[in-house]
Amino acid sequence: MEIYQLKTFIAVAAEGNLTRAAERVFTSPPAVSAQLKALEDELGVRLFDRTARGMSLTVAGQRLLAEAQRTIAASQALQAAAAQIRGQARGAVRMGTVSDPVSLRLGEVFVQLAERHPQVALQLQQGLSLRTMQAVRRGELDCAYVLNEQAQLDGLEVLRLTPVDIVAMLPPQWRADSLPGSLSALTELPWVATPTECGLRLQLETLFRSVGRELPVGPMADAEAAMRAMVASGLGAGLMRRDQAEELERQGQGRVWPGWRGQTWLCWVGPQAAAELPALTAVRESVLQVWGLAG
C-alpha cells in the first residue's frame, strides 16, 4: 500500500463524501474511488458503506482508521527527523485559530515563515478555543491560537502573546441615561451566550456567579461575527473583545456597559515536544518574532 492511499482513506472518513475528499487531497473523485478500491482489495476488507447520503465507515474501517492515522503520523515524524538532520524545516503545520485573523497578526506570521522557512506550509483551521486545544492534545492539530486564562495547561506549552480585555455589550436601543445600574441588573437582561468550548464562556459564567445567578438558557453565538450581529439586532447583551465592542459602538450598533471589564489572554499553544519538530518550531519562532517575544 502507498502513503497517498492512506491519506485518501483518512480524507474520505473525515468528509464522508468523495468529491470533498478529492478536493482535500488535490485529486479527482474517480481517482479517490480507485485508490479506495485498491486499498480495500489489498487489505481484504470493506472500509466504507456507500449510500445515497455519502460514505460511512464500516466496523473494519473504524478499526483501521486509527492505524492509518498513526502510520501517517509516523511517516511525517520520519520526514521531520530527516529534515532536522539536514538542518531544514519543511512540511505542513496545522494551526487552529479563533475567528479574527487581523488581531492574531496571522499575515505577519505568514510573511515571517515565507522569508525564513519557505518549505513550511501553515494550514489554518478556525474553531472555538477549547475545541482547538483538545485537537492539539489529540494530535489532530499541531498548534493553535486560543483565548485562555490559564498560564499552564496539562500536556501543552502555553505562550501568552497579549492580554485581551472583555466588555459587556448592550443592544443599540439602550440609551445612555437608561443603562443598567448594577451587575445584578445587567444579568437580568436577555443575553446571547457562547458555547462551553468558547474562550469567553468562562468569563460570562463568572460574571453571573458574581451576583449569585446561573446563566440562563437563551440565544447562542459560536463565532465573533455572529455575536456582533445578534447583539446589534437587539436579541440580547453579549460579551466581546473591547476593540470589537468599541468599533460596534462607533457604528451605532451597540453600547458598551461601563460597569464591568474582564480579561483573558491570546495564547499560542502547542505540544511540549514542539522542539523535536522542525516545521512546528519554525511556526513557534515566527509567532514569537511577530509578537516581539523572541529571545
Side-chain angles (χ1 to χ4, degrees):
M1 71 186 68
E2 302 291 342
I3 291 294
Y4 70 84
Q5 292 174 323
L6 297 180
K7 290 181 177 179
T8 297
F9 170 34
I10 293 169
V12 175
E15 298 292 344
N17 178 279
L18 288 179
T19 300
R20 291 197 299 270
E23 294 173 352
R24 184 165 174 165
V25 296
F26 306 104
T27 188
S28 65
V32 167
S33 183
Q35 290 171 22
L36 282 183
K37 184 178 185 306
L39 186 58
E40 289 177 329
D41 289 346
E42 183 170 352
L43 295 174
V45 297
R46 192 175 78 256
L47 300 172
F48 292 95
D49 287 323
R50 295 155 175 83
T51 70
R53 300 181 62 182
M55 309 285 287
S56 61
L57 285 166
T58 63
V59 173
Q62 292 172 358
R63 293 179 61 181
L64 293 176
L65 177 61
E67 296 296 335
Q69 291 169 329
R70 279 192 285 269
T71 300
I72 294 299
S75 172
Q76 293 173 340
L78 178 63
Q79 293 174 340
Q84 188 173 34
I85 291 170
R86 298 192 304 270
Q88 298 175 345
R90 61 179 301 167
V93 174
R94 302 160 300 172
M95 183 170 174
T97 78
V98 287
S99 62
D100 187 348
V102 175
S103 65
L104 304 181
R105 304 175 71 173
L106 279 172
E108 297 171 64
V109 173
F110 274 104
V111 170
Q112 286 280 343
L113 276 176
E115 291 178 348
R116 300 186 178 193
H117 306 282
Q119 293 182 315
V120 175
L122 193 56
Q123 300 174 348
L124 302 180
Q125 297 182 32
Q126 182 177 312
L128 299 174
S129 291
L130 294 185
R131 288 180 188 171
T132 57
M133 284 190 283
Q134 292 165 359
V136 174
R137 284 194 178 99
R138 292 193 298 264
E140 297 167 3
L141 291 173
D142 300 305
C143 60
Y145 274 138
V146 299
L147 292 179
N148 168 61
E149 298 178 18
Q150 302 178 59
Q152 295 181 329
L153 294 168
D154 289 343
L156 297 176
E157 178 188 21
V158 180
L159 302 177
R160 284 183 162 182
L161 304 178
T162 186
V164 177
D165 288 336
I166 307 300
V167 298
M169 191 69 176
L170 303 180
Q173 59 264 34
W174 283 93
R175 302 189 312 273
D177 59 357
S178 63
L179 297 180
S182 66
L183 269 178
S184 181
L186 179 72
T187 59
E188 292 173 1
L189 302 179
W191 276 81
V192 180
T194 58
T196 54
E197 300 92 343
C198 175
L200 296 181
R201 177 61 176 249
L202 182 60
Q203 295 270 337
L204 186 57
E205 291 176 345
T206 300
L207 187 156
F208 271 74
R209 281 199 301 269
S210 70
V211 294
R213 292 173 58 90
E214 294 293 326
L215 182 64
V217 177
M220 184 172 293
D222 65 353
E224 291 175 332
M227 174 65 74
R228 293 193 296 269
M230 293 169 77
V231 171
S233 69
L235 281 177
L239 294 189
M240 61 183 69
R241 296 200 326 256
R242 180 169 59 86
D243 59 328
Q244 292 186 335
E246 290 176 347
E247 177 60 27
L248 208 63
E249 189 172 51
R250 282 192 291 270
Q251 296 171 5
Q253 298 184 45
R255 189 177 296 277
V256 176
W257 191 71
W260 179 88
R261 180 166 296 180
Q263 188 180 83
T264 186
W265 285 82
L266 175 65
C267 302
W268 182 92
V269 299
Q272 292 178 337
E276 300 174 7
L277 304 171
L280 183 54
T281 298
V283 172
R284 179 184 184 278
E285 291 174 350
S286 295
V287 169
L288 290 175
Q289 185 70 35
V290 163
W291 287 93
L293 301 173

